[in-house]
Amino acid sequence: MKIIKAGISGLFAIALIIGLNTKFGDIPPLARFLNPFQGFWTNAEKKQPATENSLSIEGLKGSIEIRFDDQMVPHIFAGNNHDLYFAQGYITAKDRLWQMDFQTRFASGRLSEVVGSKALELDRYQRRMGMTYGAEKMVKIMMKDPEIKEMMDAYTAGINAYIHSLKPGDYPLEYKLLNYEPEDWKPLNSALLLKLMSATLAGGSNEFYMNNILNKFGPEITQNLFPDYPYREDPIIPSGTNWDFNPIRIPEIPVLQNNSLKSFDIRTREIEEGIGSNNWAISGTKSASGYPILANDPHLDLTLPAIWYQIQLISPEMNACGVSIPGSPGIIIGFNQNVAWGVTNVGADVLDWYNIKFKDKSQKEYWYNGKWTPVKQRIETIHVSGGKTLTDTVLYTHHGPIVYTSEQRPENFSKIGNIPTGHALRWVAHDGSNDVRTFLLLNKAKNYTDYRKAISYFSAPAQNFVFASIENDIAITPNGYFPLKWKGQGKFLLDGTDPANDWKGRIPADQNPTVKNPPRNFVSSANQFPSDQSYPYYINWEYTGYERAHRINKRLSVMTQANVDSIRNLQNDNYSILAENIHSTLIRLVDAGKLSAAEREGFNIVSKWNKFFNADEIGASIFEIWQKNLAVQIWGDDFNDPKTPMRYPSRDRLVELLLNEPLAPWYDNLNTSKQETREDAVNASFKFAIDSLQRKFGPIGKDWAWANVKATHVPHLAKIAGFGSKTLYTGGSKTSVNATSESHGPSWRMVVSLGKDPKAYGVFPGGESGNPGSYYYDDMIDTWAAGKLNELVYFKGKNDRSDRTISTWRLNKK
């Protein structure tokens, strides 16, 4: 009997050992994960690092000193550029290795290697969108530039030196949770991260929705509801600016456009209105110091680890400080002793869809320019963790990839259930470019001439580059590769058989809209139209609403003796120009006599509301839900067709309708027998707002505060529970300068006050570390939520000292 019991116990022990070392679904092998020597316990970090650390590393040419300040921001001192970028790669990997790895796997369609078949269709989608295809072409261009090749190779070598120093117990926590190991970095990975930014900022489209609208309503109504220039605008380049160039020949609009013959039951990723970024610079005539002040706050989907990585790079050729993209060398947004720069998204139309006509079911040829043209095939190999290796064939035309044919389209995958079939994608992100050179030159820039040279290399995603210098120059340029198109090209689906619909090269880079030292003594952008209608070229027909830009410009226009606090306060401005435009009209149209007691209480609150989306405001909560549902009341019955997906007209068009078209037919709900009016729509949407708030938050009270309703938080990059932030009590809205929503908002706030000794301030919602077990993972979030900034440590040279230095590393060649 004892032998039997011993045998059973032995079998149980063996089964337990096997079980604890096996991954079941999303659960990592528990024995490895809980191992006290290699498991998650080893990822805990002390708040106070060692004050000194010395390492000998192969691949260096000399010695490097890295000083960490009290937020663990590294300040790298190197004797040459190779060592500078080697150290940047090494130290960035130390803090953000898993983030870099995960994002490149996502971009390249390689998540299945880590999480298994659940990511298979997502991987297919990324590959079919041509992400790796575009990154490969980018690498070819970069590696032809000797200086950029040295930069990329050194950065890559630094990352790999850190990876090779790791033992399994040293792996970032997410590797242990997901049960995989880091792999060697390649320059392609860095290119993928830059292409991922293109996809984030310029990867949406509305052509299919617009085609369906044109087909349903005809050209006259479509043009009326979706005009090519808004009713209200405050463009980036001030109206009336003269264009100091002779335009090249602009393509003519083709006589026949076959873009309204078919409705489509597909839903592409729609361009979202009301999100974006801000930047501006004021000249010394407006500042207390007599020197320019520059501000930037790019708004993105917020994540932990943080999107940006703060760093200072010091070599004999440069001394730049700011934020980088983890996985890409150089500083993207920042300053040096002479200049400062920042970026916001342009929103140019650089992505078009072309209807493809195949010769037959073999899909080996397509009709173009009066003849059958061969289709090229790209075979994608997908490795699936715990499964077999699969191949996927992507067809390429001269336009670009046919993302899905009817035979290839998956049926039950939400991410790509909205992707068009039988259409080729022409996207600037598929082209090779040398964007890294832009930031290399900006990091070294000394004046306006250097700025102009630097941005000439930039391709995508198109950005509004703001600039300021100690020579008291300020400038802004909506910049990137803008395709040369006929007016309106890409507003609707394009006929892929006709060469007249092809892009005809690009707008010359030196003819991109720009302004230097305008009479108003400031420049600014907030994703609005780049120019007034006098600009000779077509860049796009629709941009983000003008509200944020208009508020910024109104405040900068009257600003005098400005300092850093003046600028910081503007970055945190919660006032809504949208509310200013429509609030009084909405209040006037409410029939107070037909309101319930709760509705009357809510009406009294919103009537007295000050139009600021501050955290405590209950009126902001009521107004936001009210105006959003009002759009549904007006447009929903006409545009919410389950068989024919369409989009709503813009916010600008809705405002024009409300203010100046009281008898428009769009107020009538076609699904009822009654003839609804503007008043009916306004009252119904108001009642909806009160009812929905009551259902979710109970009777009117502090729970209705805007911060509670908005529920801003910063989720983990892979949505791992417990690794995101708490809910943050903060204001802001999509139509405020502080454009903060649920998990989208200012990913980096920066203010640079130039002068003999530049002073800079910044913060992002996270921390320098990517390790959830580190104090420095999210130590800046509360500062960010409170609208405050940290003063940035900036060493003018190696002999400069700061009492905020808490640790010093020395890297020596081995």
Side-chain angles (χ1 to χ4, degrees):
M1 190 67 181
K2 291 182 179 179
I3 294 176
I4 294 174
K5 287 183 178 179
I8 292 173
S9 298
L11 290 172
F12 177 77
I14 293 170
L16 184 61
I17 292 169
I18 293 172
L20 290 174
N21 285 277
T22 302
K23 183 178 181 180
F24 295 99
D26 294 332
I27 302 173
L30 291 179
R32 297 181 211 171
F33 185 64
L34 299 175
N35 185 316
F37 303 106
Q38 295 185 353
F40 81 97
W41 314 99
T42 62
N43 293 101
E45 292 182 4
K46 296 179 180 179
K47 179 179 177 180
Q48 180 61 47
T51 56
E52 299 282 341
N53 190 17
S54 182
L55 299 171
S56 295
I57 303 174
E58 288 186 4
L60 291 174
K61 295 182 177 180
S63 297
I64 296 169
E65 183 176 300
I66 306 175
R67 300 174 192 167
F68 295 89
D69 65 30
D70 51 7
Q71 291 175 318
M72 285 304 287
V73 174
H75 305 261
I76 301 174
F77 298 84
N80 58 76
N81 287 339
H82 171 275
D83 286 358
L84 181 70
Y85 295 116
F86 185 102
Q88 185 185 9
Y90 187 94
I91 215 71
T92 304
K94 177 189 79 73
D95 284 332
R96 302 291 188 89
L97 179 61
W98 176 81
Q99 175 189 16
M100 294 155 55
D101 177 276
F102 185 83
Q103 288 184 310
T104 53
R105 286 179 181 275
F106 172 80
S108 60
R110 294 184 55 211
L111 285 179
S112 295
E113 297 176 15
V114 174
V115 301
S117 59
K118 70 176 73 174
L120 182 57
E121 292 303 341
L122 175 59
D123 284 350
R124 281 181 171 148
Y125 164 69
Q126 293 292 84
R127 293 170 186 239
R128 290 183 159 278
M129 287 291 289
M131 294 290 285
T132 302
Y133 169 75
E136 288 170 351
K137 294 175 76 172
M138 185 180 198
V139 170
K140 288 180 180 178
I141 298 294
M142 289 193 299
M143 292 311 189
K144 291 179 181 178
D145 182 331
E147 190 174 16
I148 298 303
K149 183 179 187 303
E150 179 190 31
M151 183 182 188
M152 297 301 298
D153 286 345
Y155 187 79
T156 298
I159 295 171
N160 288 330
Y162 178 73
I163 291 173
H164 298 161
S165 74
L166 298 178
K167 298 176 181 178
D170 302 324
Y171 292 165
L173 180 56
E174 290 90 344
Y175 283 107
K176 299 171 183 178
L177 276 171
L178 298 171
N179 191 36
Y180 76 108
E181 299 178 351
E183 64 181 14
D184 278 6
W185 193 262
K186 303 179 182 66
L188 177 64
N189 296 54
S190 296
L192 280 164
L193 288 172
L194 296 173
K195 294 300 179 183
L196 182 60
M197 191 62 74
S198 281
T200 300
L201 297 176
S205 65
N206 284 321
E207 292 99 305
F208 292 96
Y209 303 112
M210 294 304 301
N211 247 70
N212 290 340
I213 291 165
L214 181 64
N215 191 45
K216 179 175 180 177
F217 296 106
E220 185 176 345
I221 291 177
T222 301
Q223 184 61 28
N224 176 272
L225 293 181
F226 300 89
D228 293 332
Y229 202 82
Y231 290 90
R232 293 156 191 82
E233 189 50 277
D234 198 338
I236 295 170
I237 309 303
S239 295
T241 299
N242 293 321
W243 307 112
D244 188 20
F245 57 79
N246 295 316
I248 62 175
R249 184 176 176 272
I250 300 170
E252 295 181 1
I253 300 175
V255 176
L256 296 175
Q257 280 299 302
N258 181 23
N259 58 14
S260 60
L261 300 180
K262 185 179 179 182
S263 292
F264 297 89
D265 61 350
I266 43 81
R267 296 177 185 271
T268 56
R269 190 190 125 203
E270 187 175 354
I271 298 171
E272 186 176 352
E273 185 180 17
I275 59 174
S277 310
N278 311 309
N279 64 19
W280 62 84
I282 62 171
S283 74
T285 60
K286 280 186 166 290
S287 74
S289 69
Y291 286 97
I293 302 176
L294 181 143
N296 193 192
D297 54 303
H299 298 181
L300 296 165
D301 287 329
L302 306 176
T303 64
L304 287 172
I307 295 167
W308 304 100
Y309 184 71
Q310 193 178 325
I311 196 165
Q312 183 178 3
L313 303 175
I314 305 144
S315 77
E317 295 184 22
M318 74 171 71
N319 186 351
C321 185
V323 289
S324 65
I325 295 174
S328 183
I331 289 170
I332 304 298
I333 300 170
F335 67 99
N336 59 34
Q337 289 168 305
N338 300 295
V339 307
W341 68 93
V343 295
T344 65
N345 195 42
V346 172
D349 184 7
V350 294
L351 184 156
D352 289 333
W353 294 95
Y354 290 83
N355 195 4
I356 299 302
K357 178 183 177 181
F358 288 112
K359 182 177 183 179
D360 52 40
K361 291 184 178 179
S362 70
Q363 299 177 337
K364 293 182 178 180
E365 295 177 288
Y366 67 101
W367 187 255
Y368 173 73
N369 198 19
K371 63 180 181 180
W372 294 109
T373 305
V375 169
K376 295 180 180 179
Q377 292 187 349
R378 179 182 171 100
I379 308 300
E380 297 284 355
T381 302
I382 305 175
H383 302 286
V384 182
S385 175
K388 57 185 179 181
T389 298
L390 304 174
T391 59
D392 194 27
T393 302
V394 185
L395 306 180
Y396 276 76
T397 69
H398 74 286
H399 299 293
I402 301 171
V403 179
Y404 285 103
T405 65
S406 57
E407 295 83 4
Q408 295 169 326
R409 177 175 173 146
E411 294 181 0
N412 299 310
F413 185 63
S414 59
K415 173 74 176 178
I416 56 177
N418 305 330
I419 298 303
T421 59
H423 300 86
L425 172 63
R426 177 68 178 102
W427 187 17
V428 73
H430 291 155
D431 299 342
S433 59
N434 196 7
D435 303 324
V436 174
R437 174 159 282 280
T438 291
F439 300 106
L440 171 66
L441 294 180
L442 283 174
N443 292 182
K444 299 179 179 181
K446 295 181 179 180
N447 50 44
Y448 174 79
T449 301
D450 292 344
Y451 155 76
R452 290 294 296 173
K453 181 180 178 181
I455 65 174
S456 69
Y457 291 94
F458 192 78
S459 177
Q463 298 291 291
N464 299 302
F465 282 84
V466 70
F467 168 84
S469 76
I470 58 171
E471 295 178 352
N472 243 318
D473 286 325
I474 58 171
I476 195 164
T477 307
N479 186 71
Y481 186 108
F482 297 138
L484 186 61
K485 298 181 174 186
W486 39 266
K487 185 177 180 180
Q489 185 176 352
K491 184 174 183 177
F492 303 98
L493 176 70
L494 295 166
D495 179 3
T497 69
D498 189 351
N501 293 320
D502 288 1
W503 294 358
K504 306 302 181 185
R506 67 172 294 176
I507 297 172
D510 60 358
Q511 295 185 14
N512 287 344
T514 190
V515 67
K516 176 188 178 185
N517 298 331
R520 65 187 188 181
N521 292 314
F522 70 86
V523 294
S524 71
S525 76
N527 314 108
Q528 77 273 36
F529 259 80
S531 67
D532 62 19
Q533 297 185 73
S534 68
Y535 183 66
Y537 300 110
Y538 172 77
I539 299 177
N540 205 347
W541 67 276
E542 186 177 41
Y543 295 82
T544 294
Y546 87 118
E547 293 92 350
R548 284 182 292 113
H550 190 55
R551 177 65 172 174
I552 290 168
N553 290 346
K554 285 178 70 174
R555 289 197 58 183
L556 291 179
S557 294
V558 298
M559 195 175 285
T560 59
Q561 293 295 302
N563 57 24
V564 169
D565 281 338
S566 312
I567 302 303
R568 179 185 63 81
N569 288 335
L570 180 50
Q571 285 183 329
N572 288 280
D573 189 294
N574 293 328
Y575 186 79
S576 171
I577 293 292
L578 173 64
E580 179 181 291
N581 287 339
I582 67 172
H583 179 266
S584 61
T585 298
L586 296 184
I587 296 298
R588 176 172 55 83
L589 294 175
V590 170
D591 187 347
K594 294 182 179 180
L595 301 180
S596 68
E599 289 166 351
R600 282 196 300 273
E601 184 180 359
F603 181 66
N604 289 334
I605 291 171
V606 75
S607 297
K608 299 173 183 177
W609 176 52
N610 60 10
K611 306 179 186 65
F612 282 86
F613 276 84
N614 294 332
D616 293 329
E617 293 289 344
I618 294 175
S621 302
I622 298 171
F623 176 82
E624 179 67 8
I625 297 174
W626 186 4
Q627 64 89 12
K628 287 177 70 174
N629 185 257
L630 180 58
V632 177
Q633 295 285 343
I634 293 172
W635 306 122
D637 58 315
D638 296 286
F639 293 90
N640 288 347
D641 185 340
K643 295 182 180 179
T644 308
M646 294 174 282
R647 52 158 288 188
Y648 289 177
S650 69
R651 186 170 61 242
D652 175 71
R653 187 65 185 88
L654 178 63
V655 171
E656 179 66 17
L657 192 80
L658 282 170
L659 300 185
N660 298 318
E661 301 176 38
L663 302 178
W666 304 105
Y667 299 117
D668 182 35
N669 187 341
L670 301 178
N671 298 321
T672 71
S673 57
K674 179 187 174 184
Q675 178 81 27
E676 283 85 8
T677 65
R678 180 176 63 164
E679 288 75 7
D680 291 327
V682 168
N683 281 270
S685 54
F686 175 75
K687 291 175 179 289
F688 174 88
I690 299 300
D691 181 64
S692 61
L693 285 166
Q694 281 183 313
R695 288 175 181 272
K696 187 170 183 179
F697 299 102
I700 296 176
K702 62 180 182 180
D703 288 346
W704 284 35
W706 173 236
N708 193 47
V709 173
K710 179 162 62 81
T712 295
H713 65 285
V714 184
H716 183 261
L717 179 61
K719 304 296 189 288
I720 297 176
F723 287 3
S725 79
K726 62 187 177 184
T727 299
L728 304 171
Y729 199 81
T730 184
S733 75
K734 291 182 178 181
T735 58
S736 304
V737 177
N738 180 21
T740 307
S741 57
E742 182 180 5
S743 58
H744 187 104
S747 59
W748 164 245
R749 289 193 185 107
M750 180 186 78
V751 177
V752 181
S753 180
L754 290 171
K756 294 180 181 179
D757 294 316
K759 296 288 185 182
Y761 305 80
V763 71
F764 53 67
E768 285 289 271
S769 176
N771 176 15
S774 169
Y775 169 83
Y776 300 100
Y777 177 67
D778 59 0
D779 61 305
M780 300 187 207
I781 280 189
D782 288 341
T783 302
W784 176 87
K788 299 178 181 179
L789 299 173
N790 298 313
E791 183 173 355
L792 307 186
V793 174
Y794 181 71
F795 292 100
K796 291 179 288 185
K798 197 167 185 179
N799 294 328
D800 199 8
R801 291 289 181 265
S802 170
D803 58 8
R804 289 175 58 188
T805 301
I806 61 172
S807 180
T808 302
W809 284 25
R810 290 176 177 82
L811 309 184
N812 303 301
K813 64 179 181 179
K814 199 169 186 179

